[in-house]
Amino acid sequence: MKVLVVGSGGREHALCWAISNSPLCDKLYCAPGNAGIADVAALVPIGSEDVDALVRFVQDNAIDFVVVGPEGPLVLGLVDRLTALGVKAFGPSAAAAELEGSKGFMKDILAKYGVPTAFYERFKDPEAAKAYVRKHGAPIVVKADGLAAGKGVTVARSEQEAFDAIDDALVGGRFGAAGAEVVVEEFLDGEEVSFFALCDGENALPLASAQDHKAVGDGDTGPNTGGMGAYSPAPVLTPDLQDRVMREIILPTVKGMAAEGKPFKGVLFAGLMIMRTPDGPVPKTLEFNVRFGDPECQTLMMRLKSDALAALVAAADGVLDSIDLRWHEQTALCVVMAASGYPGDYAKNTEIRGLDKAGAVDGVTVFHAGTKRAEDGRVLSVGGRVLGVTALAPTVAAAQTAAYKAVDALDWPDGFCRRDIGWRAVGR
């Protein structure tokens, strides 16, 4: 097959790395890709949200299968355009991608089909939203309805903080059209975990759990980011809890979307809160995403023994019930190297050295996210999150040790990382 992966981040590098190892893959392209992806795929200089140009490339190059990495082109309908041309693609239609594109739509689906989640209401009127906050008190969560680049969620510790978030979105227009409506919902307290399942419109196949580290600083301090590291599996999601998540959350959502006439194909990424109750742990749904997480994808691809491309094609073909996935029992742990200043203003075009030395550490693969190769061959940083140093080892502690050994082999004075990725799982 001739395969095109759309995107340029660490998630897409991990997908390209896994797909390039498939005997089904004859030629692999990535648009637009990055310096690391260039080692396993031919780079195509087309932005991930330039749907018209992507469709032309697919037609001109007789691409057999397209894997869409980020949510933007999914919400814009790239899969719909490809399907209309008879080209297979991995990812949901624009209608199904509303599970991520609109938090209000997602919450309405959960409520309609009995999927456990926080209580909520949707608002376009700021005074009505504030009255709801006063009724329920703080802590409470305010979310911009649409895609806001990960910046649209406020966990308000006081009513005033919630009022400010409401005004930012509905009065100040901070998020543009994405903030024209807000969801105000109950604050859930517990342990967060990410869970992934492949879906083919009718069936769902569990992948694996992972735990992300959102805060920029050690000990979960500082502002939230797109993710400073992750590990898989997450010990908090026991086999019994995973079965419960499939039964109570994933499958009802897949069946519900089919009943709505919006069958979901692709990967369903459930952000879960594991609540501690007198009757034991209870999973509730914080959010759905309609693509792999980043950096969770890096850990999943490292652990996957089976042919990744075959599994993605089966999801697109509607035959997931014929697939059986095998996983390494080991732990994969990813440490994100970010540019100084991230998640605020950060340095760009700084040179990264020592990549070969870091990649030579036993069990380690260095996935690129925000990188480009200069004309003279140097690798430069061009994003906020720049590298995902990922290790596979028998235990969390061993994976942690290997990943940080590779981090320390890098020569990049303008980069930084958290030094405690995996702390929740060490010793569990």
Side-chain angles (χ1 to χ4, degrees):
M1 301 175 74
K2 294 170 75 174
V3 181
L4 170 67
V5 174
V6 175
S8 63
R11 163 184 51 222
E12 287 77 32
H13 190 182
L15 288 168
C16 286
W17 175 80
I19 290 168
S20 69
N21 291 319
S22 169
L24 299 176
C25 182
D26 295 320
K27 180 68 176 178
L28 179 61
Y29 300 91
C30 186
N34 61 43
I37 293 174
D39 292 336
V40 292
L43 301 190
V44 181
I46 300 173
S48 62
E49 296 192 7
D50 190 345
V51 172
D52 289 340
L54 290 168
V55 169
R56 282 195 301 272
F57 177 83
V58 166
Q59 290 178 295
D60 292 346
N61 292 273
I63 300 297
D64 299 298
F65 189 59
V66 179
V67 178
V68 186
E71 64 276 13
L74 294 169
V75 172
L76 290 171
L78 176 56
V79 170
D80 305 73
R81 293 279 298 278
L82 296 170
T83 301
L85 295 171
V87 178
K88 288 183 189 178
F90 177 80
S93 66
E98 281 295 282
L99 278 176
E100 179 167 358
S102 168
K103 294 178 179 66
F105 172 82
M106 177 204 73
K107 295 290 287 192
D108 289 351
I109 288 290
L110 298 186
K112 184 173 181 179
Y113 293 98
V115 178
T117 189
F119 65 73
Y120 75 102
E121 276 196 34
R122 304 170 67 167
F123 299 95
K124 292 184 178 178
D125 174 46
E127 294 311 312
K130 291 175 185 177
Y132 186 81
V133 170
R134 291 188 192 97
K135 176 182 175 183
H136 292 285
I140 199 162
V141 182
V142 180
K143 297 179 175 180
D145 177 70
L147 298 178
K151 298 179 175 66
V153 177
T154 299
V155 179
R157 300 293 174 177
S158 67
E159 291 186 9
Q160 187 58 51
E161 194 179 351
F163 297 158
D164 291 344
I166 290 164
D167 284 339
D168 276 352
L170 297 181
V171 180
R174 179 182 173 193
F175 306 109
E181 181 174 280
V182 296
V183 172
V184 183
E185 68 177 31
E186 173 190 13
F187 169 75
L188 298 180
D189 194 16
E191 189 168 346
E192 283 192 54
V193 65
S194 302
F195 183 74
F196 300 84
L198 292 181
C199 306
D200 66 7
E202 293 184 9
N203 306 295
L205 183 67
L207 290 177
S209 64
Q211 212 155 25
D212 188 11
H213 299 62
K214 286 292 187 194
V216 73
D218 286 9
D220 290 335
T221 57
N224 274 355
T225 70
M228 293 300 294
Y231 57 92
S232 174
V236 66
L237 203 70
T238 62
D240 284 347
L241 268 181
Q242 176 174 308
D243 289 345
R244 186 169 176 180
V245 168
M246 287 297 295
R247 188 172 65 250
E248 297 181 5
I249 294 173
I250 301 295
L251 289 172
T253 301
V254 173
K255 301 294 185 189
M257 289 295 285
E260 295 289 317
K262 301 175 180 180
F264 187 90
K265 291 187 173 187
V267 62
L268 194 56
F269 164 9
L272 306 173
M273 184 68 79
I274 307 301
M275 314 279 290
R276 301 295 174 190
T277 76
D279 297 322
V282 174
K284 287 196 175 184
T285 313
L286 291 173
E287 64 177 0
F288 279 127
N289 295 307
V290 299
R291 36 71 190 179
F292 284 103
D294 186 345
E296 294 100 329
C297 186
Q298 292 85 309
T299 64
L300 295 185
M301 292 303 110
M302 286 283 279
R303 289 189 58 220
L304 183 62
K305 277 185 180 180
S306 300
D307 185 328
L309 181 54
L312 303 184
V313 171
D317 282 346
V319 292
L320 274 181
D321 52 356
S322 66
I323 290 285
D324 181 32
L325 295 179
R326 294 175 301 120
W327 299 88
H328 290 287
E329 302 254 333
Q330 295 162 292
T331 292
L333 184 143
C334 175
V335 176
V336 169
M337 292 289 293
S340 293
Y342 178 80
D345 293 335
Y346 52 81
K348 292 183 181 178
N349 293 309
T350 60
E351 184 181 358
I352 305 166
R353 296 178 293 271
L355 285 162
D356 289 343
K357 191 175 177 184
V361 174
D362 190 40
V364 167
T365 299
V366 180
F367 293 112
H368 290 229
T371 67
K372 70 174 183 182
R373 192 171 292 279
E375 290 183 8
D376 60 9
R378 295 178 303 146
V379 174
L380 305 178
S381 70
V382 293
R385 294 185 300 154
V386 178
L387 300 172
V389 181
T390 310
L392 186 68
T395 65
V396 177
Q400 196 181 55
T401 298
Y404 283 111
K405 182 179 178 182
V407 164
D408 293 336
L410 291 167
D411 179 9
W412 184 31
D414 295 284
F416 76 98
C417 67
R418 280 183 57 162
R419 305 296 305 197
D420 65 346
I421 301 302
W423 68 269
R424 285 182 184 274
V426 173
R428 261 190 173 169

